Amino acid sequence: MHPYLFELASLMTIFAFVIVSPGADLAMVMRQAIVHGRKRAIVTSFGIGTAFMMHVSYTILGLGLIISQSIFLFNIVKWCGVAYLFYIGVKSLRAGKTDLTGGIAGQGEPQEQGLPKAFLLGFAANALNPKAVFFFLSIFSAVISVHTPMSVKFGYGLVMASCLIGWFIGVSVFMTTAKMRAAFSRASQWIDRISGAVFIVLGLKLATEKAG
């Protein structure tokens, strides 16, 4: 097997377990799908994938190592992330009941949300996560050779970002089928409360993260 293919296969094996694990990204896409419909959730997925490539890019360029070694820089990213998670958590907790049945399969969403906002929600959820710094530094150091060209490393990042976007698009489609939206419509307010609590818990968890 070509060494680059072996590296990519190793990366994707690890990454497959990472993308399906619960976290702020998944919670964000699920809420977008349930409340704002398929189109917004898919746009949010692309926002997450774009932020993912940002993490890949600065890690490859060496900035990730600088951030991981700087308590000050790490804490800036961390507390921005905590504030963001708390913000969307509180906003979800304060949301009223939403009728979702009028927007089945992402058509005619009851709460109109601009596409740029949907994109930025996904981008911020992923970008303001300092754990991504350590994730990329650790797997890139463990799996990828120092002799692998930078262009190939970027190629690995694009493959992973594409798979991440594809996974969240799948989640978006599943969560916006007619039966799912009809079921969630009956419990929309509780869904907002639960998702708000999840975001706040994730914020608290992030607040306890240490740079070392």
Side-chain angles (χ1 to χ4, degrees):
M1 178 183 289
H2 194 282
Y4 297 161
L5 291 178
F6 178 78
E7 287 182 344
L8 180 59
S10 300
L11 278 175
M12 294 309 299
T13 299
I14 299 171
F15 191 59
F17 290 98
V18 174
I19 63 175
V20 299
S21 62
D25 292 348
L26 181 60
M28 175 63 73
V29 171
M30 290 180 67
R31 185 177 187 278
Q32 283 288 91
I34 294 168
V35 177
H36 296 289
R38 182 175 298 177
K39 180 187 286 187
R40 271 67 181 178
I42 290 175
V43 172
T44 297
S45 301
F46 277 94
I48 292 171
T50 302
F52 181 92
M53 276 306 300
M54 180 192 73
H55 288 307
V56 170
S57 298
Y58 68 61
T59 298
I60 293 173
L61 295 173
L63 298 179
L65 182 61
I66 296 174
I67 294 174
S68 70
Q69 297 300 315
S70 170
I71 300 296
F72 176 72
L73 291 176
F74 175 85
N75 282 330
I76 287 177
V77 177
K78 182 179 82 169
W79 289 111
C80 284
V82 170
Y84 177 72
L85 289 172
F86 269 77
Y87 167 74
I88 57 178
V90 171
K91 189 174 180 180
S92 297
L93 288 173
R94 296 176 63 183
K97 183 175 174 59
T98 302
D99 180 13
L100 305 177
T101 55
I104 291 175
Q107 298 179 354
E109 292 84 349
Q111 296 182 358
E112 189 68 23
Q113 180 187 76
L115 296 183
K117 182 178 180 180
F119 180 88
L120 288 174
L121 283 172
F123 184 89
N126 190 273
L128 297 175
N129 183 2
K131 292 188 291 185
V133 178
F134 301 100
F135 169 73
F136 287 112
L137 282 176
S138 60
I139 66 168
F140 269 62
S141 299
V143 176
I144 299 177
S145 169
V146 294
H147 303 295
T148 300
M150 186 175 294
S151 60
V152 175
K153 293 178 182 178
F154 275 109
Y156 294 160
L158 285 172
V159 172
M160 289 191 291
S162 298
C163 291
L164 183 67
I165 292 171
W167 160 249
F168 285 130
I169 287 177
V171 172
S172 303
V173 171
F174 175 75
M175 298 299 293
T176 50
T177 58
K179 289 183 178 179
M180 290 296 291
R181 286 182 69 84
F184 280 118
S185 181
R186 294 191 291 270
S188 63
Q189 193 165 15
W190 282 106
I191 291 168
D192 270 322
R193 290 174 180 174
I194 293 171
S195 62
V198 168
F199 285 124
I200 290 174
V201 168
L202 289 170
L204 290 172
K205 184 175 183 296
L206 179 57
T208 63
E209 295 287 335
K210 298 184 182 297

